[in-house]
């Protein structure tokens, strides 16, 4: 799931409060229920369940009818070209920009197979300029994976919930859910565990780490060539891709990051 496009869509459609309410209510077992793993296609997770859950919390609007201008960045898998989605279904645009290679399956959008826009443009200052922005406030969530490894004592993972973490009546369901996914997702879960001695990295860890490093370097390069007026950079180095259940903590980190640069914000922001 592309955090940037989802949050931007919620803001541009005046539904940011609804998105916050939904994410703050998510538990670990909710996150596991959203993982629709697949043995076919271009990723290990389809992402359909996540998008259905998002659609139950946010109204899907035509981008042309949203309160503010909005665009999502994706990449054409076969041409390698950056694609800016500025019309049509808001949620379709979010999903099209969220196909992290190898993890989430690509999306067929208007005859093209699209993957995560962060592959070419992780912090899309250029799109904001094209939409008419005179003052761009960029949010940079990219962090080197080395920093994640160094914070093993602080990391919370998306391990399947134990019986004492489940709500009443969820124990049997949680056990069944874990049994169903354990084999397929064992590689992914073990790859994000950093509270033990490092072992040989698995396939998912290699893909995710490589993409993270690549996005960090591309972000630095592109922002040097087209710098935003202000960068907000919350320290999310101890978060992992599927830590949706930690929304409250992430939101507080975001508030703290904004406070650090508040004096640099233009009047009226």
């Amino acid at each position: 799931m592309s955090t940037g496009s989802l949050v931007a869509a919620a803001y541009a459609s005046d539904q940011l409060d609804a998105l916050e309410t939904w994410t703050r209510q998510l538990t670990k077992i909710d996150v596991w229920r959203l993982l629709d793993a697949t043995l076919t296609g271009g990723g290990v997770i389809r992402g359909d369940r996540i998008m259905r859950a998002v659609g139950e919390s946010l109204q899907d609007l035509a981008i042309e009818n949203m309160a503010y201008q909005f665009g999502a960045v994706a990449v054409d898998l076969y041409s390698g070209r950056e694609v800016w989605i500025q019309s049509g279904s808001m949620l379709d645009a979010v999903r099209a920009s969220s196909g992290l290679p190898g993890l989430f399956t690509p999306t067929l959008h208007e005859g093209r197979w699209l993957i995560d826009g962060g592959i070419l443009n992780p912090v899309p200052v250029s799109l904001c300029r094209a939409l008419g922005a005179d003052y761009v406030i960029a949010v940079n969530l990219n962090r080197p994976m080395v920093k994640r490894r160094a914070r093993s004592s602080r990391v919370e993972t998306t391990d399947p919930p134990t019986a004492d973490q489940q709500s009443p009546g969820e124990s049997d369901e949680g056990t069944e859910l874990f049994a169903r996914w354990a084999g397929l997702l064992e590689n992914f879960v073990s790859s994000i565990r950093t509270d033990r001695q490092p072992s040989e990295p698995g396939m998912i860890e290699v893909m995710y780490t490589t993409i993270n490093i690549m996005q960090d370097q591309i972000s630095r390069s592109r922002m040097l060539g087209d710098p935003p007026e202000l960068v907000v950079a919350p320290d999310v180095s101890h978060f992992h891709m599927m830590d949706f259940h930690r929304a409250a903590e992430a939101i507080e980190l975001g508030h703290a990051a904004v406070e650090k640069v508040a004096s640099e914000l233009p009047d009226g922001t």
Side-chain angles (χ1 to χ4, degrees):
M1 174 63 61
S2 175
T3 302
S5 61
L6 177 59
V7 173
Y11 175 82
S13 61
D14 276 338
Q15 300 183 85
L16 196 57
D17 289 344
L19 178 62
E20 179 177 348
T21 298
W22 175 63
T23 55
R24 282 183 179 273
Q25 294 173 348
L26 288 174
T27 64
K28 284 186 177 182
I29 197 168
D30 290 331
V31 174
W32 276 81
R33 285 172 175 160
L34 296 176
L35 301 182
D36 47 355
T38 176
L39 291 173
T40 62
V44 298
I45 301 173
R46 289 194 177 280
D48 295 340
R49 290 183 184 174
I50 296 177
M51 290 310 303
R52 282 198 297 269
V54 171
E56 292 172 359
S57 302
L58 303 181
Q59 180 184 0
D60 189 13
L61 302 176
I63 294 175
E64 302 91 327
N65 298 331
M66 292 166 67
Y68 303 100
Q69 286 186 290
F70 167 78
V73 181
V75 173
D76 187 315
L77 179 62
Y78 292 108
S79 72
R81 295 179 179 176
E82 188 173 329
V83 177
W84 292 354
I85 305 174
Q86 303 176 67
S87 62
S89 162
M90 174 187 82
L91 294 184
D92 283 353
V94 171
R95 178 62 184 92
S97 71
S98 302
L100 197 63
L103 298 178
F104 287 91
T105 57
T107 300
L108 183 62
H109 182 81
E110 296 182 354
R112 296 179 290 190
W113 286 104
L114 302 183
I115 58 176
D116 196 320
I119 299 302
L120 291 181
N121 199 354
V123 186
V125 176
S126 54
L127 174 57
C128 294
R129 303 280 189 212
L131 291 174
D134 296 320
Y135 192 101
V136 177
I137 302 173
V139 180
N140 186 4
L141 301 179
N142 297 302
R143 286 292 184 274
M145 292 300 292
V146 172
K147 193 170 185 181
R148 292 176 184 251
R149 284 289 186 185
R151 294 181 173 228
S152 59
S153 63
R154 294 180 57 190
V155 171
E156 180 180 347
T157 71
T158 50
D159 287 341
T162 58
D164 60 347
Q165 293 172 321
Q166 297 168 356
S167 300
E170 287 187 331
S171 180
D172 291 341
E173 182 179 0
T175 302
E176 179 183 352
L177 188 66
F178 171 59
R180 189 193 316 166
W181 296 122
L184 184 60
L185 296 179
E186 180 181 4
N187 192 6
F188 172 70
V189 174
S190 63
S191 74
I192 62 174
R193 289 291 299 273
T194 56
D195 56 351
R196 60 190 179 199
Q197 290 296 320
S199 57
E200 181 179 355
M203 179 185 66
I204 301 300
E205 181 179 10
V206 171
M207 287 191 299
Y208 183 49
T209 303
T210 301
I211 291 169
N212 187 275
I213 294 171
M214 178 184 66
Q215 289 183 331
D216 179 65
Q217 294 301 314
I218 292 174
S219 295
R220 294 171 186 266
S221 177
R222 294 198 64 146
M223 286 196 291
L224 282 174
D226 186 10
E229 278 66 35
L230 187 63
V231 176
V232 179
D235 183 2
V236 293
S237 57
H238 54 294
F239 279 79
H240 295 293
M241 184 180 67
M242 300 304 295
D243 280 354
F244 303 147
H245 61 285
R246 300 175 64 192
E249 183 183 351
I251 290 169
E252 291 307 312
L253 288 173
H255 288 163
V258 172
E259 287 298 323
K260 287 183 179 179
V261 298
S263 61
E264 304 176 46
L265 289 169
D267 295 338
T269 303

